[in-house]
Amino acid sequence: MVDPGVGGRRDAIVAEIGGRRFVGPDNGLLSILWQRARRRKCWRIAWRPRPLSASFHGRDLFAPVAAALATGRVPRGWLAPKARPDVLLPASDLAQVIYIDHYGNAVTGIRFTNPDGFLRVGKRRLGYARTFEAAHGPFWYGNSMGLVEIALPRGSAAKRLGLRVGSPVRPQRTA
């Protein structure tokens, strides 16, 4: 769980999204799921354990609430209705590099839907390849998380293309 605001003023929430329940911080982590769902509900976690660590809410707060939800035995007063999470990021794809792994592959925030078109990265236009073996130079593909990823066979795409987290990318469909 990503929670840089642990111990701060952000709410702890339960979000029911598409029939599944998620427990976590109200810091935007659940916002894209929330924004894309048709059926959704939200609760603020009102209960606080004694003691509550200032830096380990995953163990002290979220895990007990998740366990109570899983068993169907949520004590009265633990959850308070909330209209929606406070932090909502846009549901649209994020057309930039969001992560670079230690091989130099650059994961984008764009959902992979089909291999049609090119990906504009700076002044370069990258083609699609289904596998690393099929590529001849920097290319893009749909990774195991369902996102568009930029790679270079036997090399670092990030170094070759000068990519950093936040570098913009732009899909271009062939007409």
Side-chain angles (χ1 to χ4, degrees):
M1 175 177 317
V2 179
D3 190 11
V6 67
R9 288 184 280 183
R10 60 93 181 106
D11 272 345
I13 60 173
V14 173
E16 189 173 303
I17 303 168
R20 293 192 170 123
R21 291 182 179 159
F22 299 87
V23 179
D26 190 352
N27 66 0
L29 183 66
L30 302 175
S31 69
I32 293 173
L33 292 172
W34 177 271
Q35 297 280 50
R36 292 179 181 169
R38 290 189 178 126
R39 295 183 345 234
R40 57 195 184 193
K41 294 180 185 174
C42 187
W43 296 267
R44 181 179 58 79
I45 301 172
W47 171 77
R48 293 294 181 268
R50 300 280 182 244
L52 174 61
S53 165
S55 62
F56 207 173
H57 287 186
R59 175 197 66 200
D60 297 344
L61 182 61
F62 301 134
V65 170
L69 288 165
T71 63
R73 297 185 185 136
V74 180
R76 189 180 313 248
W78 274 31
L79 304 178
K82 184 172 179 152
R84 62 177 186 77
D86 292 331
V87 180
L88 290 174
L89 303 173
S92 59
D93 289 356
L94 187 59
Q96 61 182 254
V97 173
I98 61 171
Y99 176 73
I100 297 174
D101 69 17
H102 63 277
Y103 297 108
N105 300 322
V107 179
T108 73
I110 301 170
R111 289 175 283 178
F112 175 75
T113 54
N114 67 55
D116 182 34
F118 297 92
L119 190 66
R120 174 81 52 197
V121 179
K123 295 180 183 197
R124 298 281 304 260
R125 192 171 100 156
L126 306 182
Y128 168 83
R130 194 175 78 72
T131 65
F132 281 67
E133 183 179 33
H136 305 286
F139 71 103
W140 71 271
Y141 72 103
N143 70 16
S144 63
M145 296 179 287
L147 297 172
V148 168
E149 186 165 325
I150 302 163
L152 175 65
R154 295 170 295 286
S156 168
K159 283 183 184 173
R160 169 83 63 91
L161 300 171
L163 299 174
R164 303 182 328 266
V165 170
S167 292
V169 296
R170 196 172 70 237
Q172 294 181 319
R173 299 285 175 223
T174 54

